[in-house]
Amino acid sequence: MQDYTDLSSIKADLDAGKLSLPDLVEHYVARIEQRTHLNIFLEVWKEEAKARAEAIQSKIKDGTAGRLAGAVIAVKDNICITGHKVTASSKILEGFESIYSATAIERLLAEDAILIGRCNCDEFAMGSSNENSAYGIVRNPLDENRVPGGSSGGSAAAVAAGMCLMALGSDTGGSIRQPASFCGLVGLKPTYGRISRYGLIAYASSFDQIGPLSRSIEDSILLYEIMAGRDIMDGTTSSKKVEPFQGAGEKPFKIAYLQECMESEGMTPSVKQAFEEQVRKLEAAGHTVEAVPFPLLESIIPAYYILTTAEASSNLARFDGIHYGYRSEEAKDINSTYVLSRSEAFGEEVKRRILLGTFVLSAGYYDAYYTKAQKLRRLVKEKTEEILSDYDLIMTPSTPTVAFALDSVKDPISMYLQDIFTVQANLTGLPAISLPLATADDGMPLGIQFLAKAFHEDVLFDIAERTMQH
Ligand code: GLN
């Protein structure tokens, strides 16, 4: 069977009777089974997907199928689906089954999507390489000795390996865009409040968003439009209407790139060169591309890690050995149930962040760290919005390096610096997309990131459609 890279070609073949949906599911399952050593899927819902494929195939015949008929989708293991296991790749949720589905999932199912399985990720979405999972590392299908990125590493790898058409990830500081960059995909982080977080296991609630990973921009747009919009189960969702994307315009864009980005220490010469080439291409296509100063760049990683760990320390308090999943066998009373269960079942990175978050929220240090980081968040938002009052888009490489070798980034600070270009969108709540536009000199893909004004996903889709055609 051919490798389908977008839903419209699947639909065309389904309609023409050249393809059957149960066969398509078989094909994806076979792909998954061929490369289990990549450790992408924690669970494959083979029988359920096949049964749904049969049912949707009849709907297609009757002309009653939804907009996602033909779309086989993988789900990050931190998004809840009724009656299915969900662990956030943590031992602490081992065996836990969800009693409700995320709103985003409900909306996909209502349009006849088929869910093929749940994907490995960094534990509680904390990481940039998918090396922090309690269920083992994920390998990058494009080069098995490299990481796929994180934390939605399994989701990106599944799409890149042709094990499904698209996947859902979550993005708190880059976890959709960074793996998209490492695996050569489109990855979208919508505006904060655009897609419901109901049913997404919380990491840092004022940053988290669910979003799509796909090969084609059209598929990302479709998933976004179906999942977006007000949900009474998540009070932070916006009631602003979701307008269907009208297609790319003609007017050239005014694009800013951040001066300090280009001087960023961690950026490899090859990434810099690939980025500069994209700037020239955009200029050649008639857009204006200009450097603007953004002196706050060096503060965004510290601000992000103080605020997200603070939120995580609170969010993860619920995993106490009583309510969900794992309980220590040595526990004797309430105190030892908490202490032992949490000590035994949280991984090293998660513990580091809970400790750091608890520290920055403690009475003696609250003002020095947490309040200061909140002030920085405000400044970053103001400065970014000021740039966007003059420019349609801000452009950066999605990542300072291409996918790195497994086990090569050992200290946490270097790993945190991976997020230098992506966290700005989460600190500000603005929408951003990583597009597979560039290739570094070692042949690995590199994403180019665009960031737009709040609720201006259409501008991201517009630049995507124009650039991805070249
Ligand atoms: N790499 C970042 C972190 O570890 C981003 C994670 C995410 O977006 N979930 O926090």
Side-chain angles (χ1 to χ4, degrees):
M1 186 178 289
Q2 78 177 90
D3 257 321
Y4 288 97
T5 55
D6 59 68
L7 183 58
S8 61
S9 31
I10 292 177
K11 279 190 165 166
D13 284 1
L14 284 170
D15 288 343
K18 285 194 215 150
L19 171 70
S20 90
L21 204 39
D23 285 353
L24 183 63
V25 169
E26 282 288 352
H27 162 79
Y28 287 132
V29 171
R31 265 294 159 79
I32 296 169
E33 285 169 357
Q34 265 161 22
R35 295 179 87 184
T36 46
H37 62 285
L38 301 181
N39 201 26
I40 294 173
F41 281 86
L42 295 180
E43 199 180 357
V44 182
W45 303 314
K46 187 171 161 180
E47 294 313 318
E48 192 182 335
K50 280 205 309 214
R52 241 179 108 73
E54 303 276 359
I56 296 166
Q57 183 76 53
S58 339
K59 280 179 145 188
I60 295 173
K61 210 167 127 226
D62 301 344
T64 57
R67 287 188 285 168
L68 287 174
V72 177
I73 301 176
V75 182
K76 185 176 181 179
D77 185 34
N78 64 351
I79 302 177
C80 297
I81 307 173
T82 314
H84 289 76
K85 291 198 177 92
V86 61
T87 70
S89 288
S90 180
K91 193 173 164 188
I92 209 149
L93 276 168
E94 205 164 53
F96 176 74
E97 235 176 55
S98 183
I99 52 167
Y100 60 87
S101 289
T103 303
I105 293 289
E106 299 279 11
R107 292 186 182 179
L108 297 185
L109 291 176
E111 292 290 350
D112 289 332
I114 294 174
L115 306 178
I116 185 111
R118 66 185 163 96
C119 289
N120 205 340
C121 58
D122 282 304
E123 186 176 357
F124 285 101
M126 296 174 183
S128 306
S129 65
N130 218 130
E131 294 170 301
N132 293 339
S133 165
Y135 304 100
I137 59 155
V138 174
R139 291 173 182 272
N140 189 322
L142 307 178
D143 175 346
E144 297 186 4
N145 295 317
R146 301 192 196 221
V147 304
S151 64
S152 315
S155 299
V159 180
M163 296 172 174
C164 55
L165 180 67
M166 359 184 186
L168 291 191
S170 67
D171 191 312
T172 305
S175 280
I176 292 175
R177 291 161 287 151
Q178 190 251 19
S181 176
F182 282 11
C183 293
L185 305 172
V186 176
L188 171 72
K189 196 246 2 137
T191 308
Y192 184 77
R194 193 72 287 204
I195 293 181
S196 171
R197 290 178 294 110
Y198 180 68
L200 168 68
I201 296 178
Y203 158 16
S205 309
S206 76
F207 293 75
D208 301 341
Q209 272 292 286
I210 291 176
L213 285 141
S214 66
R215 284 182 187 274
S216 86
I217 179 63
E218 288 74 18
D219 288 349
S220 271
I221 298 173
L222 183 63
L223 279 198
Y224 161 80
E225 287 178 354
I226 289 170
M227 292 188 290
R230 175 75 182 152
D231 173 25
I232 54 161
M233 301 307 284
D234 172 4
T236 62
T237 50
S238 164
S239 36
K240 202 172 153 55
K241 198 166 169 263
V242 183
E243 302 286 352
F245 179 57
Q246 299 300 326
E250 307 251 295
K251 199 172 136 258
F253 283 121
K254 240 185 119 181
I255 304 169
Y257 69 89
L258 310 176
Q259 226 160 21
E260 287 72 9
C261 261
M262 302 318 288
E263 292 143 21
S264 164
E265 250 174 63
M267 182 155 69
T268 61
S270 162
V271 167
K272 189 169 181 184
Q273 206 184 344
F275 179 75
E276 285 167 347
E277 199 182 307
Q278 292 304 312
V279 170
R280 284 194 293 275
K281 271 195 187 171
L282 285 164
E283 285 172 337
H287 305 286
T288 306
V289 191
E290 288 170 355
V292 297
F294 187 70
L296 292 165
L297 190 70
E298 61 173 25
S299 320
I300 67 175
I301 292 283
Y304 168 82
Y305 276 94
I306 288 172
L307 297 173
T308 53
T309 54
E311 292 188 26
S313 72
S314 163
N315 274 327
L316 270 57
R318 73 192 65 167
F319 303 105
D320 54 5
I322 294 171
H323 290 92
Y324 312 90
Y326 183 86
R327 179 174 305 164
S328 170
E329 290 189 355
E330 312 299 318
K332 289 186 186 64
D333 52 21
I334 185 128
N335 215 33
S336 61
T337 302
Y338 292 160
V339 173
L340 294 175
S341 305
R342 287 166 68 83
S343 304
E344 288 165 20
F346 279 138
E348 195 187 335
E349 182 60 26
V350 174
K351 284 182 192 161
R352 180 179 297 120
R353 295 196 192 194
I354 293 173
L355 290 172
L356 186 60
T358 309
F359 174 74
V360 299
L361 287 175
S362 60
Y365 293 97
Y366 189 93
D367 281 341
Y369 294 106
Y370 186 74
T371 310
K372 200 165 178 186
Q374 287 286 37
K375 288 182 181 162
L376 266 168
R377 187 178 197 179
R378 163 65 70 95
L379 287 174
V380 169
K381 190 163 190 283
E382 283 172 359
K383 180 67 192 161
T384 307
E385 283 170 353
E386 188 190 310
I387 298 173
L388 287 169
S389 64
D390 276 340
Y391 295 87
D392 303 301
L393 294 157
I394 296 174
M395 171 188 180
T396 65
S398 303
T399 48
T401 69
V402 292
F404 44 88
L406 288 163
D407 208 20
S408 66
V409 180
K410 293 199 183 350
D411 87 289
I413 304 284
S414 315
M415 193 64 94
Y416 297 170
L417 285 169
Q418 267 297 316
D419 309 327
I420 179 115
F421 303 139
T422 46
V423 298
Q424 187 182 8
N426 308 76
L427 279 165
T428 57
L430 300 175
I433 198 163
S434 177
L435 301 175
L437 295 177
T439 308
D441 54 13
D442 58 359
M444 288 304 281
L446 169 73
I448 301 295
Q449 174 183 250
F450 292 94
L451 191 143
K453 297 182 189 71
F455 301 102
H456 281 58
E457 278 80 0
D458 59 328
V459 180
L460 301 179
F461 300 154
D462 192 333
I463 192 74
E465 288 211 337
R466 292 198 226 181
T467 48
M468 285 178 70
Q469 279 162 8
H470 293 304

